[in-house]
Amino acid sequence: MAEAHSAVAFSFSITHEGWDINYDQEVLNLVWQSGLRSWKKRIARARNGIRNGVFPAHIQSLWLITAIAIGLHFTGHNVPFNLVNKVILYVPNHSTNWQIGSCFIAGLIVWLSICFSMRYTLKLLLMYKGWMYESRAPGSKISFTTKAWSVAVKILSSWNTPGLYSFQGSLPRLPVPSVHNTMTRYLRSVRPLLNDEDYIRMEKLAMEFKSTIGKKLQRYLELKSWWSTNYVSDWWEEYVYLRGRSPLMVNSNFYATDAIFQHLTNNQAARAGMIVHLLLAFRRMIERQELQPIMVQNMIPLCSWQYERAFNTVRVPGLETDKIIHYKDSNHIVVLHKGCYYKVVIYFKGRLLRPCEIQIQIEEILKSKQTPLPGEQQLAALTAWKRSNWAEIRNQYFCRGVNRVSLQLIESAAFVLSLDEEPYEFNMDQPELLDKFGRILLHGNGCNRWFDKSFTVCIGTNGRVGFNAEHTWADAPVMGHTWESVFIDEIGKYDENGNCRGTPEFSPPLPSRLNWDLTLILPKIQEAVIDATNLLNDVDLKIFVHDSYGKGFMKKSKLSPDAYIQMALQLAYYRDAKKFSLTYEASMTRLFKEGRTETVRPCTIESSAWVKAMDDPNFKASDRVTLLKKACDQHQLGYQDAMCGQGIDRHLFCLYVVSKYLEVDSPFLNEVLSEPWRLSTSQTPHGQTPKMDLKKHPNCISAGGGFGPVADDGYGVSYIIAGENLIFFHISAKKSSGVTVRTLVCFNFKLC
């Protein structure tokens, strides 16, 4: 009860002598500062909302137009459409003040008309996707249409400096492909996977679907596309992520590593203090919309919607479906060390704590002699358990008392920081160290990551860092952008002893332990630990460093680096499995409002022809190169179609959802949606922030990150093209499947 009494900021009682009032001035000051900060953020959001609503016009231009209206009116000239005189008819009198007010209203009408005209003109321009299909190679000709379009886009988009969400109102909606086009692309994509008999059967199913129920489902989907912001994203989040009942660990969450060639400090507390501060500074840039939106070719904006839930976000388990909860603000993080949970306040005396001040807080935790409460050390295993099991426990034992208070602190935290008790090591001569690094970040020991949080920052005893991120709230590029910004900003921020630079202005608030009463659920926690341990022990992970050559050679060969690597994966899988497999590659649809991802199918007729030629001694090297170029060109076309909203799989997925709502059975959709993705791949984007300059900071290169296999008998492959001569591959599989990542990393890269 001592903790409860000390938490009371204000209390009163009635005695025979009158009112007896007690209050804690420091706590009340914290409440005041928190409220003041909250109101400042509300005002800033309102201001940014107005700025974004009229973008690309300037808010300041309103005063110019108003001044022009006043000048025209009082010099006897008519404002366009005689607006001032029309407004004056509705004011009480014709005094000078009312005339000025009428001029302001008329100016406001003209200004808003100009703003929305510019905004919708930009939206119409951004609907054009012809530029995507035109080669940008040196010496290639660009059509007159694309040249004229690019000039118009540059003029409108550079009229005003955009905030993070300024382009949201100008981004087009994701288009719904026609059923005919999707059927045609789908049948072409599965041709190398099926024999003649199975292909004829699938072709018949597809044609039957197109001519019957497909038309009805398409009409409903087109109606949804007009009614909703994005016809895919809400259903994708709901049915692919939130309704999944499998554990998040390994099956859903992904990870990313440190800038492994850049080891700025060995001090765990200093690195933690700096990373925490820089992440919170990045959060502040998102909140204030000071972060510049990512622009393709410095001209075409990508949707920034996913950044909103990067911090203060948690996935809450449910019996049948989970839900994402995003807190508008949070002034604390939660730190996990040696099985103990601590609340760490990161705002004090009206400002964000400096890195050196946060370092003091982390040092207090590291030198603490406190021991975990019964069950506390393994508590996080519940978040690595099946979602329905975790939901039952949460609803029964975390709905009241100290458990509810402590769980609320974790879920409302900006993020979770895990101070691990082992080093994260990397050495080019010992590749197994990097494999261990990846496993630590992917699943830890099953109990030292809060898998429900938007992300958990993990720091080893030697100062190296990584993160484990929940996948529902956003896709990997958002966390990649955040991670790159942190790595660049921390350069030069440590002194010669490895501590954070700067002098603390005051003693920061001490971390406070979270309290738990877990006695009744200790058996359930042990069950969760056993299941989590079995799951993580089944993971086979290999991080392969390829430094013989990189994208420089691929571009010199006039091949897309991504297409080149995908072809290498096709060849490696075929030589490993002796057959082709349905292959998933993630691409983005963020050229459209609230776009997330679309599937590219790298296994094509062209790629299979090239793969077979590589193992056929009758083919000359020149013929193989020709086939490779055709395969890469076809892959690029598929990637371009996916980015332009003309992919296959999201359309089929949404048609399937509509069929389930209408309770209509489709043999075609049932078969398509049940096909396993045995080779699931993704490229980690690199260089998303303009601050990333590898010429100036050549060691600021992350090894990227990875994820677990999507199919129980398949591979999960993530890769990052980190430099002209450096590529990292993160390859995962399940040991119980009988496949092994050791065979898949034997790439044949000497293709040309």
Side-chain angles (χ1 to χ4, degrees):
M1 292 298 291
E3 293 86 353
H5 284 300
S6 65
V8 176
F10 180 86
S11 63
F12 70 91
S13 60
I14 302 175
T15 67
H16 64 279
E17 296 179 353
W19 298 93
D20 183 17
I21 301 175
N22 296 303
Y23 63 91
D24 188 318
Q25 186 173 354
E26 183 176 352
V27 177
L28 288 179
N29 183 58
L30 285 174
V31 172
W32 167 257
Q33 292 292 344
S34 178
L36 190 64
R37 181 165 162 265
S38 178
W39 276 104
K40 286 181 179 178
K41 291 181 70 173
R42 291 182 187 180
I43 294 171
R45 287 193 189 105
R47 184 177 65 250
N48 286 327
I50 295 172
R51 183 185 71 170
N52 295 335
V54 301
F55 186 86
H58 288 269
I59 296 178
Q60 293 83 349
S61 59
L62 171 62
W63 312 119
L64 175 62
I65 292 177
T66 301
I68 293 173
I70 293 173
L72 290 174
H73 177 71
F74 284 100
T75 57
H77 297 83
N78 281 333
V79 172
F81 306 106
N82 201 24
L83 280 176
V84 175
N85 291 330
K86 290 179 180 179
V87 173
I88 286 177
L89 294 176
Y90 297 95
V91 299
N93 56 65
H94 294 177
S95 65
T96 302
N97 288 340
W98 280 111
Q99 290 186 59
I100 293 174
S102 300
C103 290
F104 174 78
I105 294 173
L108 179 63
I109 294 172
V110 172
W111 178 71
L112 288 174
S113 300
I114 295 172
C115 290
F116 285 103
S117 296
M118 294 175 67
R119 177 173 171 175
Y120 284 101
T121 299
L122 180 59
K123 189 169 188 174
L124 287 171
L125 289 169
L126 293 177
M127 292 175 68
Y128 173 72
K129 294 295 184 289
W131 62 273
M132 179 73 74
Y133 296 91
E134 296 189 13
S135 175
R136 292 179 291 278
S140 300
K141 292 184 178 181
I142 300 175
S143 67
F144 174 78
T145 302
T146 298
K147 287 180 179 178
W149 166 83
S150 63
V151 170
V153 170
K154 286 180 180 178
I155 291 173
L156 278 175
S157 60
S158 61
W159 191 269
N160 189 4
T161 302
L164 180 60
Y165 304 125
S166 292
F167 285 105
Q168 294 301 102
S170 300
L171 290 171
R173 295 174 183 267
L174 182 68
V176 182
S178 69
V179 175
H180 172 76
N181 287 345
T182 297
M183 293 299 102
T184 302
R185 291 189 178 102
Y186 172 76
L187 289 173
R188 196 181 194 282
S189 73
V190 297
R191 187 63 188 96
L193 305 173
L194 304 175
N195 58 37
D196 292 344
E197 182 180 347
D198 288 337
Y199 179 76
I200 292 171
R201 183 183 63 84
M202 181 57 71
E203 190 177 37
K204 183 180 178 181
L205 285 175
M207 294 304 103
E208 181 183 352
F209 171 79
K210 184 178 74 171
S211 60
T212 56
I213 190 62
K215 296 178 180 179
K216 181 179 180 180
L217 301 181
Q218 179 76 354
R219 286 195 294 269
Y220 279 101
L221 202 56
E222 288 173 346
L223 178 63
K224 182 178 188 287
S225 73
W226 283 100
W227 179 253
S228 60
T229 306
N230 187 296
Y231 81 93
V232 176
S233 293
D234 56 343
W235 282 352
W236 187 253
E237 182 175 299
E238 174 73 17
Y239 295 107
V240 173
Y241 292 114
L242 295 178
R243 293 207 179 190
R245 301 292 83 197
S246 299
L248 299 183
M249 183 184 75
V250 176
N251 297 310
S252 178
N253 286 25
F254 60 94
Y255 70 90
T257 64
D258 201 351
I260 55 175
F261 297 111
Q262 176 178 281
H263 200 176
L264 302 176
T265 178
N266 290 309
N267 189 318
Q268 186 179 23
R271 190 81 194 277
M274 184 61 66
I275 293 293
V276 168
H277 175 84
L278 292 175
L279 283 170
L280 294 169
F282 192 85
R283 181 183 74 162
R284 184 170 57 194
M285 291 180 67
I286 294 175
E287 292 170 344
R288 295 178 178 179
Q289 299 188 31
E290 296 170 349
L291 188 67
Q292 294 293 301
I294 295 177
M295 309 287 283
V296 179
Q297 298 182 17
N298 296 318
M299 183 173 59
I300 304 102
L302 297 184
C303 178
S304 301
W305 161 69
Q306 297 181 48
Y307 287 87
E308 185 177 344
R309 301 187 295 183
F311 297 86
N312 327 330
T313 299
V314 66
R315 174 170 165 172
V316 175
L319 295 176
E320 296 182 357
T321 181
D322 295 356
K323 60 182 178 181
I324 288 286
I325 295 180
H326 172 68
Y327 296 86
K328 291 294 183 181
D329 193 17
S330 178
N331 68 347
H332 72 280
I333 64 170
V334 166
V335 178
L336 173 58
H337 178 58
K338 290 186 177 180
C340 300
Y341 291 81
Y342 300 84
K343 174 187 175 183
V344 176
V345 175
I346 38 87
Y347 275 90
F348 190 64
K349 294 190 176 181
R351 67 165 175 81
L352 174 65
L353 294 180
R354 296 175 178 174
C356 57
E357 293 162 348
I358 300 175
Q359 180 181 343
I360 294 174
Q361 295 175 308
I362 301 301
E363 287 171 345
E364 287 293 324
I365 294 173
L366 290 175
K367 68 183 182 183
S368 173
K369 302 298 183 182
Q370 297 195 48
T371 57
L373 297 168
E376 183 181 15
Q377 188 166 12
Q378 299 173 321
L379 176 63
L382 294 174
T383 67
W385 210 10
K386 293 179 180 179
R387 302 306 289 170
S388 298
N389 293 349
W390 171 209
E392 289 178 3
I393 298 297
R394 188 181 187 278
N395 294 341
Q396 186 173 356
Y397 297 102
F398 292 85
C399 59
R400 65 180 67 87
V402 294
N403 288 347
R404 178 182 179 181
V405 172
S406 296
L407 182 62
Q408 172 69 13
L409 286 173
I410 294 175
E411 295 184 339
S412 64
F415 55 87
V416 171
L417 173 68
S418 180
L419 301 173
D420 286 352
E421 300 171 66
E422 59 182 319
Y424 304 166
E425 297 176 304
F426 168 71
N427 190 318
M428 289 289 283
D429 298 326
Q430 295 177 279
E432 66 277 2
L433 294 178
L434 193 54
D435 300 343
K436 182 181 178 182
F437 194 171
R439 289 180 61 90
I440 289 172
L441 298 176
L442 177 62
H443 49 64
N445 61 14
C447 309
N448 57 353
R449 310 280 180 263
W450 199 267
F451 295 100
D452 288 358
K453 283 297 290 182
S454 55
F455 64 92
T456 298
V457 177
C458 314
I459 301 186
T461 54
N462 59 344
R464 288 203 178 276
V465 65
F467 70 75
N468 178 290
E470 204 278 318
H471 210 325
T472 309
W473 63 273
D475 301 308
V478 174
M479 278 305 299
H481 185 191
T482 307
W483 214 227
E484 281 186 357
S485 297
V486 167
F487 290 157
I488 286 293
D489 290 339
E490 74 168 331
I491 296 175
K493 298 294 180 65
Y494 301 96
D495 63 22
E496 60 278 3
N497 296 318
N499 294 307
C500 297
R501 293 186 183 276
T503 304
E505 287 189 357
F506 46 73
S507 296
L510 294 177
S512 57
R513 274 289 303 275
L514 302 191
N515 200 12
W516 306 96
D517 182 7
L518 306 173
T519 306
L520 297 178
I521 57 172
L522 289 178
K524 294 294 183 182
I525 293 176
Q526 288 304 313
E527 286 184 41
V529 170
I530 292 171
D531 287 352
T533 303
N534 290 337
L535 178 58
L536 67 89
N537 285 338
D538 193 29
V539 174
D540 190 14
L541 178 67
K542 173 69 178 178
I543 302 178
F544 176 59
V545 184
H546 178 79
D547 57 356
S548 298
Y549 64 88
K551 66 179 179 180
F553 167 75
M554 301 171 194
K555 288 182 176 180
K556 186 178 179 181
S557 303
K558 297 182 180 180
L559 296 173
S560 159
D562 179 71
Y564 186 102
I565 291 174
Q566 285 293 334
M567 294 308 104
L569 289 171
Q570 288 298 307
L571 178 61
Y573 186 89
Y574 183 79
R575 287 176 170 172
D576 176 34
K578 309 304 179 186
K579 62 180 179 179
F580 295 107
S581 173
L582 189 62
T583 307
Y584 178 106
E585 181 189 3
S587 76
M588 64 157 188
T589 56
R590 288 172 61 194
L591 292 170
F592 302 94
K593 192 171 184 179
E594 293 189 10
R596 291 200 59 164
T597 61
E598 176 58 276
T599 303
V600 181
R601 295 181 169 220
C603 184
T604 61
I605 295 172
E606 291 77 10
S607 70
S608 60
W610 169 75
V611 167
K612 290 177 180 178
M614 289 297 292
D615 283 348
D616 188 341
N618 296 321
F619 277 84
K620 298 177 182 179
S622 58
D623 295 334
R624 292 170 176 170
V625 170
T626 300
L627 289 173
L628 174 61
K629 289 183 176 180
K630 288 182 180 179
C632 288
D633 289 343
Q634 180 61 37
H635 180 271
Q636 278 300 96
L637 179 61
Y639 205 99
Q640 290 159 346
D641 286 341
M643 289 185 65
C644 294
Q646 298 299 315
I648 301 169
D649 292 278
R650 298 301 178 269
H651 186 206
L652 292 176
F653 163 76
C654 289
L655 290 171
Y656 178 78
V657 173
V658 174
S659 73
K660 291 303 178 183
Y661 275 121
L662 297 178
E663 297 182 348
V664 175
D665 188 61
S666 169
F668 170 73
L669 291 177
N670 290 338
E671 186 161 340
V672 170
L673 271 296
S674 64
E675 293 170 345
W677 301 95
R678 290 191 174 88
L679 183 55
S680 182
T681 71
S682 178
Q683 179 183 176
T684 303
H686 186 63
Q688 294 187 87
T689 172
K691 295 183 291 186
M692 177 67 75
D693 185 353
L694 292 182
K695 292 182 180 178
K696 187 177 180 181
H697 306 293
N699 291 329
C700 194
I701 297 176
S702 171
F707 49 88
V710 174
D712 288 339
D713 58 347
Y715 296 102
V717 182
S718 176
Y719 54 93
I720 180 171
I721 305 173
E724 292 298 314
N725 296 295
L726 185 63
I727 308 171
F728 290 95
F729 291 88
H730 300 246
I731 306 171
S732 63
K734 290 189 175 180
K735 297 175 183 177
S736 57
S737 69
V739 302
T740 169
V741 300
R742 296 306 188 269
T743 57
L744 197 63
V745 299
C746 298
F747 298 113
N748 183 357
F749 272 115
K750 296 181 180 178
L751 304 179
C752 298

